[in-house]
């Protein structure tokens, strides 16, 4: 059976070529493993390339009072203490080294006058902490990691979608997928797999995420028997473009606020004074997003249903130098000159704090040989992520997952691929072609996005979430009967038919966890349970597949060691 397919073999297979996947690949290679990286788009085009504002790391180049301890505290506070504390500790301790390493590999950061890496302010960070390259930090990060990986010898399989993980008994054995151009099937054999497939934003109507962010990795892991953690926590970034409609949701980087941008409502009031007078525009994203939403709902929104974000009080040359992408984004897409007039902005689905449940030290999932890192993994950010903490997450935990995956591969025998699993994967992919009736995947996707936007958005209620779960059952039934026309050649409708199955799984995981969490915490705001409850602060949610059913369990938040407890207590 396996002879029927083009087959590639590596010790470690990384699914995803964003920051997490590439950093994992570089590390696994350094450990002597043979490494394959597979990605849906071209190498260099992963969603990470869109990251703008910067990478958080307590380098202390601008604010000498900063420290890993302060970064740890900010991360835990931002995540409303639901974070995996060990991940938050490792992240804060190791991110400065990861930045220095990136610099040694050729990344050119903006500089201070005395030649150090410049750091800017960002919401929820006590000190100026974000290392950046104007507002194009992700591009520099990807360029550097990609150069390093290619130069060191990774095998790259690009424009290829993985649709199923293959197992040999309880262990990971490889993956099944198809080449997006030709539609040909392909097998990957590997002793270890790292999932680094990024986020889930494309399941919502208004999102900052790229087309690749359809939750594939989480769905693949779930289907293979891994667990998903705290899926209720989906971050709505406060500032996406609201106008014109074609670009609605496109991100307006937090760096605008970091550089001094001011938020006002239609009456010219600086409304953050009401919601967070201490931190104002540099409050955390959950708070700013809810504030804008509330201003709009109460009739004080901008003409296109958002708020005004103004940076025009800064010199035009400064704005163009520090925020070049924002300047061009507004000029080219909305005919707005942000050096002269305010932008119109509103919340956009941006990031998922939940994800595959992993071990803090190694990124290991609950399946032997399966690891995860980056946005696809859960734990570090708790109930809400601070800006800049994702890029540092990718570096710290990408490296750790690559290291552990290589070590696992060293001590593992070559796996066997199971024909029955391969056959099932092929059958599943071909099924939509075999139907003569049925809806096309575009209609179902569009309606799913609208439903999630209205029922599983910034503010939630039991009634809406229960309705959403009912709707999801109907969507699943429709998707099981959907039809794709044409052939496997260059067929985006067929690609979407598979992505849609992944989005339905993650959407159900989000709605199920959100309905169960009867409190408001971080990015999860329940109108019917508006308070943050101590008892809920001791519980994480775990989603798993049992038979054909999705199950939800509460697990206790891991006890923090005394020295870290003391650190957090110092501020009280
Ligand atoms: C506009 C924007 C700006 C941002 N700015 C910042 C910032 O300044 N600082 C910060 O910390 N964070 C920022 N973020 C968040 C951050 O960019 C992301 O969380 C992060 O880049 C995710 O990286 P990743 O490596 O986990 O995944 P991604 O970069 O999303 O990469 C996922 C990879 O997986 C591949 N893939 C997915 N599914 C499959 C499949 N089935 N088969 C094969 N391959 C697959 C994709 O092709 C891609 O290569 C920003 C986000 C956005 C949207």
């Amino acid at each position: 059976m396996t002879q029927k397919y083009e087959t590639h073999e590596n010790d470690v297979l990384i699914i995803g070529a964003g920051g997490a996947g590439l950093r994992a690949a570089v590390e696994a290679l350094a450990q002597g493993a043979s490494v394959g990286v597979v990605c849906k788009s071209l190498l260099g085009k992963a969603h990470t390339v869109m990251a703008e504002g910067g990478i958080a790391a307590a380098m202390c180049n601008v604010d000498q009072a900063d420290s890993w301890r302060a970064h740890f505290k900010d991360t835990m506070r931002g995540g409303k203490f639901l974070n995996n504390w060990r991940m938050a500790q490792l992240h804060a301790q190791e991110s400065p080294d990861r930045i220095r390493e990136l610099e040694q590999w050729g990344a050119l950061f903006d500089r201070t006058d005395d030649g150090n890496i410049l750091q800017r302010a960002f919401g929820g960070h006590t000190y100026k902490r974000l290392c950046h390259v104007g507002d194009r930090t992700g591009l520099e990060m990807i360029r550097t990691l990609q150069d390093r990986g290619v130069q060191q010898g990774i095998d790259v399989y690009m424009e290829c979608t993985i649709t199923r993980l293959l197992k040999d008994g309880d262990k990971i054995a490889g993956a099944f997928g198809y080449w997006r151009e030709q539609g040909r099937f392909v097998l990957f054999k590997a002793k270890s797999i790292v999932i680094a497939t990024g986020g889930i934003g494309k399941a919502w109507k208004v999102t900052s995420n790229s087309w690749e962010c359809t939750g594939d990795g989480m769905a693949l892991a779930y289907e293979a028997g891994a667990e998903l953690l705290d899926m209720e926590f989906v971050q709505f970034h406060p500032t996406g473009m609201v106008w014109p409609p074609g670009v609605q949701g496109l991100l307006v980087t937090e760096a605008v606020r970091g550089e001094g941008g001011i938020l006002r409502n239609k009456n010219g009031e600086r409304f953050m004074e009401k919601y967070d007078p201490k931190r104002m525009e540099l409050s955390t994203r959950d708070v700013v997003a809810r504030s804008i939403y509330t201003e709009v709902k109460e009739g004080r929104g901008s003409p296109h249903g958002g708020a005004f974000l103004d940076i025009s009080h800064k010199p035009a040359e400064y704005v163009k130098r520090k925020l070049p992408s924002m300047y061009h984004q507004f000029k080219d897409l909305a005919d707005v000159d942000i050096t002269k007039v305010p932008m119109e902005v509103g919340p956009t689905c941006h990031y998922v704090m939940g994800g595959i449940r992993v071990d803090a030290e190694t990124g290991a999932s609950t399946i032997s040989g399966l690891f995860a890192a980056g946005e696809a993994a859960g734990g570090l950010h708790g109930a809400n992520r601070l800006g800049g903490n994702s890029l540092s997450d990718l570096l710290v935990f990408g490296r750790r997952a690559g290291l552990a995956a290589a070590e696992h591969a060293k001590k593992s025998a070559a796996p066997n691929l199971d024909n029955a699993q391969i056959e099932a994967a092929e059958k599943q992919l071909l099924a939509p072609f075999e139907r003569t009736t049925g809806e096309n995947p575009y209609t179902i996707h569009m309606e799913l996005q609208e439903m999630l936007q209205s029922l599983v958005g910034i503010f939630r209620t039991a009634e809406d979430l229960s309705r959403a779960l009912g709707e999801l059952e109907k969507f699943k039934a429709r998707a099981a009967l959907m039809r794709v026309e044409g052939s496997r050649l260059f067929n985006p409708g067929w690609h979407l038919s598979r992505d849609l199955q992944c989005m339905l799984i993650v959407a159900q995981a989000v709605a199920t966890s959100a309905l169960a969490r009867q409190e408001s915490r971080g990015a999860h705001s329940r109108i019917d349970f508006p308070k943050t409850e101590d008892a809920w602060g001791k519980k994480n949610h775990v989603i798993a597949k049992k038979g054909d059913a999705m199950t939800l369990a509460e697990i206790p938040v891991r006890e923090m060691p005394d020295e870290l407890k003391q650190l957090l207590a110092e501020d009280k």
Side-chain angles (χ1 to χ4, degrees):
M1 174 74 158
T2 51
Q3 293 91 317
K4 196 173 137 192
Y5 300 98
E6 173 188 345
T7 304
H8 300 275
E9 192 164 348
N10 290 98
D11 296 328
V12 177
L13 182 73
I14 314 244
I15 308 177
L22 289 174
R23 187 62 191 82
V26 167
E27 194 62 27
L29 267 177
Q31 300 305 316
S34 78
V35 179
V37 175
V38 51
C39 51
K40 277 189 191 180
S41 56
L42 292 168
L43 186 67
K45 296 273 184 188
H47 173 79
T48 298
V49 87
M50 293 163 71
E52 294 164 347
I55 315 175
M59 313 277 294
C60 314
N61 291 347
V62 176
D63 283 335
Q64 267 99 47
D66 201 5
S67 64
W68 78 260
R69 289 178 185 79
H71 193 180
F72 167 79
K73 285 196 277 186
D74 287 345
T75 302
M76 293 297 295
R77 241 188 264 129
K80 301 289 181 270
F81 305 101
L82 217 57
N83 325 50
N84 177 323
W85 59 262
R86 179 62 180 151
M87 287 176 98
Q89 182 184 23
L90 290 169
H91 167 254
Q93 288 173 331
E94 294 179 4
S95 40
D97 280 348
R98 300 288 76 80
I99 297 277
R100 281 182 210 109
E101 191 173 69
L102 212 56
E103 191 182 36
Q104 279 160 15
W105 296 342
L108 294 169
F109 289 98
D110 286 4
R111 323 297 303 184
T112 59
D113 289 341
D114 52 357
N116 288 316
I117 293 174
L118 182 60
Q119 299 186 272
R120 64 162 49 120
F122 240 55
H125 290 281
T126 305
Y127 298 104
K128 289 190 174 157
R129 194 175 277 150
L130 266 76
C131 309
H132 59 277
V133 184
D135 58 3
R136 292 175 181 152
T137 312
L139 175 63
E140 188 66 0
M141 182 166 164
I142 285 284
R143 186 192 66 74
T144 307
L145 289 173
Q146 175 185 313
D147 280 2
R148 178 92 188 164
V150 170
Q151 183 205 32
Q152 305 283 306
I154 49 172
D155 296 325
V156 180
Y157 310 104
M158 54 187 169
E159 299 202 292
C160 179
T161 298
I162 297 298
T163 64
R164 186 179 288 233
L165 298 178
L166 304 170
K167 284 165 77 180
D168 181 357
D170 291 341
K171 297 193 200 98
I172 217 68
F176 181 89
Y178 66 90
W179 296 106
R180 297 176 71 85
E181 276 197 18
Q182 305 292 331
R184 276 183 291 111
F185 297 134
V186 54
L187 279 178
F188 295 95
K189 213 170 161 182
K191 295 171 189 165
S192 304
I193 289 187
V194 180
I195 293 196
T197 47
I200 66 173
K202 272 292 165 194
W204 276 260
K205 186 178 165 199
V206 179
T207 180
S208 62
N209 285 195
S210 81
W211 63 270
E212 294 169 283
C213 301
T214 49
D216 298 13
M218 293 176 208
L220 291 170
Y222 167 83
E223 291 284 0
E227 295 172 340
L228 303 180
L229 184 78
D230 290 345
M231 289 297 288
E232 61 269 46
F233 297 110
V234 176
Q235 179 172 78
F236 286 78
H237 193 293
T239 60
M241 289 179 80
V242 293
W243 185 261
V247 295
Q248 193 185 19
L250 201 64
L251 195 76
V252 178
T253 174
E254 190 167 325
V256 177
R257 283 176 288 136
E259 295 294 346
I262 291 171
L263 282 165
R264 294 187 200 281
N265 61 21
K266 74 168 186 193
N267 304 325
E269 290 153 352
R270 195 170 174 188
F271 55 84
M272 285 311 296
E273 277 167 359
K274 255 186 316 195
Y275 302 99
D276 189 347
K278 206 162 149 216
R279 296 183 295 185
M280 303 286 278
E281 282 80 4
L282 290 182
S283 181
T284 48
R285 289 176 176 178
D286 51 339
V287 176
V288 183
R290 279 194 295 269
S291 308
I292 296 178
Y293 184 93
T294 306
E295 289 298 301
V296 175
K297 214 158 168 233
E298 292 179 0
R300 296 183 294 276
S302 64
H304 299 106
F308 293 110
L309 175 61
D310 195 2
I311 189 80
S312 64
H313 50 282
K314 294 271 177 186
E317 276 323 301
Y318 181 84
V319 172
K320 286 185 196 168
R321 183 162 47 83
K322 296 306 284 184
L323 302 163
S325 298
M326 286 306 103
Y327 174 74
H328 287 292
Q329 185 171 308
F330 274 88
K331 196 89 188 97
D332 299 345
L333 301 176
D335 198 21
V336 165
D337 183 347
I338 66 169
T339 66
K340 298 199 172 97
V341 290
M343 302 156 238
E344 262 188 89
V345 295
T348 178
C349 180
H350 184 62
Y351 186 88
V352 56
M353 275 68 71
I356 300 165
R357 187 178 174 207
V358 292
D359 170 57
E361 317 286 334
T362 59
S365 74
T366 43
I367 297 176
S368 173
L370 185 66
F371 301 79
E375 195 170 341
L380 168 61
H381 308 288
N384 177 50
R385 174 178 73 86
L386 298 185
N389 269 1
S390 169
L391 294 188
S392 39
D393 170 3
L394 312 183
L395 295 173
V396 169
F397 294 103
R399 176 187 156 275
R400 283 183 163 268
L403 179 69
E407 277 174 0
H408 176 88
K410 267 184 216 160
K411 49 183 199 235
S412 303
N416 294 308
L417 296 183
D418 168 33
N419 289 341
Q421 292 175 41
I422 297 167
E423 233 167 80
E426 174 170 338
K427 213 167 144 204
Q428 182 186 33
L429 277 175
L430 293 178
F433 286 121
E434 277 151 23
R435 297 185 193 111
T436 48
T437 57
E439 293 175 88
N440 78 61
Y442 291 105
T443 312
I444 304 176
H445 183 215
M446 198 182 70
E447 289 178 21
L448 171 72
Q449 288 178 315
E450 273 165 11
M451 187 280 286
L452 290 176
Q453 192 74 31
S454 71
L455 300 182
V456 195
I458 296 190
F459 285 106
R460 300 158 172 186
T461 63
E463 197 190 333
D464 283 353
L465 292 166
S466 304
R467 256 182 69 206
L469 286 167
E471 291 297 321
L472 280 167
E473 288 306 314
K474 292 186 211 156
F475 280 119
K476 279 199 276 181
R478 287 165 64 186
L481 298 174
M482 74 192 148
R483 174 183 177 218
V484 172
E485 289 183 25
S487 76
R488 280 151 61 186
L489 283 175
F490 313 104
N491 192 336
W494 180 46
H495 303 166
L496 181 62
S497 71
R498 174 60 201 151
D499 296 347
L500 186 57
Q501 302 288 1
C502 297
M503 287 187 268
L504 288 168
I505 291 173
V506 291
Q508 190 182 351
V510 171
T512 304
S513 306
L515 180 61
R517 184 169 286 277
Q518 296 185 336
E519 66 156 352
S520 293
R521 180 179 297 270
H524 174 66
S525 298
R526 288 282 300 257
I527 292 174
D528 43 355
F529 296 99
K531 288 204 187 115
T532 303
E533 305 284 352
D534 285 350
W536 275 106
K538 297 184 173 62
K539 295 183 226 175
N540 293 115
H541 273 151
V542 170
I543 291 272
K545 190 176 179 189
K546 300 268 156 67
D548 277 338
M550 183 176 279
T551 63
L552 175 82
E554 285 173 8
I555 55 162
V557 168
R558 228 176 107 199
E559 186 78 10
M560 208 185 284
D562 286 343
E563 83 244 29
L564 294 182
K565 273 190 198 156
Q566 224 164 332
L567 255 185
L568 295 173
E570 280 167 15
D571 289 348
K572 281 191 183 154

